[in-house]
């Protein structure tokens, strides 16, 4: 999350962690609802790209 630009991090935190609606976020941040939607989509894409390699790494066996 820290690697996201502030404008993306702001909307994703408000939506996913605070549970705010697109309209509420738009009003709070002072941007159109469409901009909220596009920023959320871009933030989710960046998070997915960042997290996907970690998920696909092979599991390491623990020493016995």
């Amino acid at each position: 999350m820290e690697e996201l630009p502030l404008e993306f991090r702001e909307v994703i935190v408000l939506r996913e962690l605070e549970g705010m609606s697109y309209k509420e976020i738009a009003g709070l941040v002072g941007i159109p609802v469409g901009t909220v939607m596009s920023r959320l989509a871009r933030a989710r894409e960046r998070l997915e790209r960042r997290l996907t390699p970690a998920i696909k790494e092979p599991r390491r066996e623990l020493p016995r």
Side-chain angles (χ1 to χ4, degrees), residues 3-56:
E3 294 177 14
L4 289 175
L6 178 59
E7 62 189 11
F8 293 165
R9 189 169 59 238
E10 179 178 51
V11 295
I12 204 154
V13 166
L14 293 173
R15 176 67 181 165
E16 303 299 342
L17 301 180
E18 299 297 328
M20 294 178 73
S21 71
Y22 294 170
K23 187 176 178 180
E24 290 171 323
I25 296 168
L28 180 66
V29 179
I31 58 176
V33 172
T35 303
V36 171
M37 294 169 68
S38 65
R39 287 183 184 180
L40 281 168
R42 290 185 180 119
R44 289 173 178 145
E45 286 171 8
R46 288 185 184 206
L47 286 172
E48 182 178 8
R49 281 196 314 256
R50 180 72 174 114
L51 295 173
T52 299
I55 294 169
K56 291 184 178 181

